[in-house]
Amino acid sequence: MDIGDLAERILKGERRALARAITLVESGRADHRAAARELLEKLRGAGREALRIGLSGTPGVGKSTFIEAFGMMLTAQGLKVAVLAVDPSSARSGGSILGDKTRMERLSRDPNAFIRPSPAQSHLGGVARRTREAIGLCEAAGFDVILIETVGVGQSETVVAEMSDLFLLLLAPAGGDELQGVKRGIMETADIILINKADGDLKATATRTCADYAGALRLLRKRPQDPQGFPKALTVSALEEEGLQKAWEEMQALTEWRRETGHFAARRAGQARFWFESEVREGLLARLRREPVKGAMTALAHQVEEGGISAAAAADELLETYLGETPGA
């Protein structure tokens, strides 16, 4: 594989080259990882920057319908949109289960859009470990907006927030009791809460739900990266394509304020540090899966099972042998 040629084709915006590059960064093979690092270094100096928008919500809330309607609206305004949809993985094949691309038929045919479903594999909360590298590739390819969709509502929001400039939480109209089911940590992570399905018989319920969340957001401690009025709750109808432009204007306003005040650049810098530390941890864990550490770990695990040594003492012995010092020393 000619990495230099692949990089040039990505910079020209060739979709096939972009798809091939994302496949490369998702691979776990050692030679592919080395090629992926070389490619990312070549593209790093391109200086292209997209608005990264993280999106999450409970299954059935209409994320795919929203992304398609929202993406179509953005491409109609002349923007290039990439969607990185992180699917649950099949335990049998390791592949994507939901196949988001098949549920965004109109957007997938749009020449200004690119959709890439990625299996989450075993990584935290359904967020593929290499999604952030795919984001860098999409930026280099000239996309203006990158939507990162993840499954479920839970710990994954923390990881998505470390990849994105804005974080959207999509919720369905519900009764007041449902407010208790949304964890405070997720509420604190969200920049904008969107109540979807605000149409037909659910419109009045959606309006009440929006008011409930707006009230809950006002009770949260103010964050330094938010101007007056943020985070906020809004109603949208992906089906009838209502409220999407208003939501986009709010996203733009928040982004512009953060750029002017320095919060945008500071957040990107903090994310870079977060992922550096994450790579170090991942690298250390990878070493545990290779010989001779793997064999030593298995032998000590048997001793722990038989009661010959405590788990803490066994861990200290292993780390002291292969890291050269006692943990905590």
Side-chain angles (χ1 to χ4, degrees):
M1 184 183 296
D2 187 336
I3 297 300
D5 177 63
L6 185 60
E8 287 181 15
R9 289 167 55 203
I10 290 171
L11 291 171
K12 290 176 183 175
E14 291 186 24
R15 296 158 68 95
R16 184 173 294 181
L18 176 59
R20 187 179 182 190
I22 292 177
T23 299
L24 181 67
V25 302
E26 287 178 348
S27 173
R29 275 176 45 175
D31 57 334
H32 286 176
R33 290 303 307 148
R37 284 193 293 271
E38 182 185 348
L39 176 63
L40 290 164
E41 280 301 307
K42 284 184 179 295
L43 295 172
R44 193 165 55 87
R48 295 178 178 177
E49 187 177 85
L51 179 61
R52 308 168 184 173
I53 301 175
L55 177 75
S56 191
T58 51
V61 75
K63 290 192 297 294
S64 294
T65 307
F66 171 81
I67 289 172
E68 181 169 58
F70 186 62
M72 293 294 291
M73 182 195 75
L74 295 180
T75 58
Q77 296 177 13
L79 297 172
K80 292 184 67 179
V81 179
V83 179
L84 301 176
V86 184
D87 273 356
S89 295
S90 164
R92 181 171 297 179
S93 68
S96 299
I97 292 174
L98 300 179
D100 287 87
K101 195 168 183 176
T102 62
R103 295 184 286 130
M104 302 181 200
E105 191 176 344
R106 284 190 305 147
L107 189 61
S108 65
R109 294 197 303 264
D110 193 313
N112 284 325
F114 175 84
I115 302 175
R116 177 69 180 219
S118 298
Q121 298 166 354
S122 60
H123 301 296
L124 173 64
V127 180
R129 179 187 172 201
R130 299 302 169 192
T131 298
R132 68 182 185 280
E133 294 179 351
I135 291 170
L137 294 171
C138 289
E139 285 189 319
F143 285 91
D144 302 298
V145 179
I146 300 172
L147 297 168
I148 308 119
E149 177 201 4
T150 185
V151 294
V153 173
Q155 287 177 293
S156 61
E157 277 60 44
T158 304
V159 184
V160 174
E162 293 297 343
M163 297 180 187
S164 54
D165 304 312
L166 298 175
F167 178 67
L168 310 181
L169 181 60
L170 204 62
L171 299 173
D177 290 344
E178 296 296 324
L179 185 63
Q180 305 303 320
V182 177
K183 296 177 183 176
R184 181 185 175 93
I186 299 169
M187 293 272 288
E188 291 174 338
T189 303
D191 294 306
I192 298 176
I193 292 178
L194 298 175
I195 312 301
N196 194 23
K197 303 185 179 181
D199 48 59
D201 295 339
L202 288 174
K203 190 166 186 176
T205 306
T207 302
R208 289 196 300 271
T209 303
C210 183
D212 289 342
Y213 280 105
L217 288 171
R218 283 194 292 270
L219 297 176
L220 296 179
R221 185 174 56 193
K222 184 170 173 58
R223 305 178 304 183
Q225 70 267 31
D226 291 330
Q228 189 65 35
F230 283 89
K232 62 176 56 179
L234 303 168
T235 58
V236 294
S237 169
L239 188 64
E240 297 183 353
E241 299 184 3
E242 291 184 1
L244 301 180
Q245 182 59 38
K246 169 67 174 173
W248 175 233
E249 289 170 0
E250 295 288 1
M251 293 178 216
Q252 288 177 300
L254 178 57
T255 302
E256 187 60 32
W257 184 87
R258 286 179 175 173
R259 286 186 189 277
E260 292 174 353
T261 55
H263 288 293
F264 189 94
R267 183 179 179 85
R268 286 276 179 108
Q271 288 174 348
R273 181 184 180 115
F274 175 91
W275 290 114
F276 159 69
E277 293 173 352
S278 175
E279 282 294 331
V280 171
R281 287 191 294 271
E282 195 67 32
L284 289 172
L285 288 173
R287 289 192 177 190
L288 294 178
R289 296 188 285 267
R290 295 199 299 265
E291 297 295 353
V293 186
K294 184 179 177 181
M297 193 169 177
T298 301
L300 282 167
H302 286 315
Q303 291 185 44
V304 171
E305 287 175 347
E306 294 167 359
I309 188 173
S310 70
D316 284 352
E317 181 179 326
L318 182 77
L319 294 173
E320 185 175 2
T321 300
Y322 292 101
L323 292 182
E325 62 179 45
T326 304

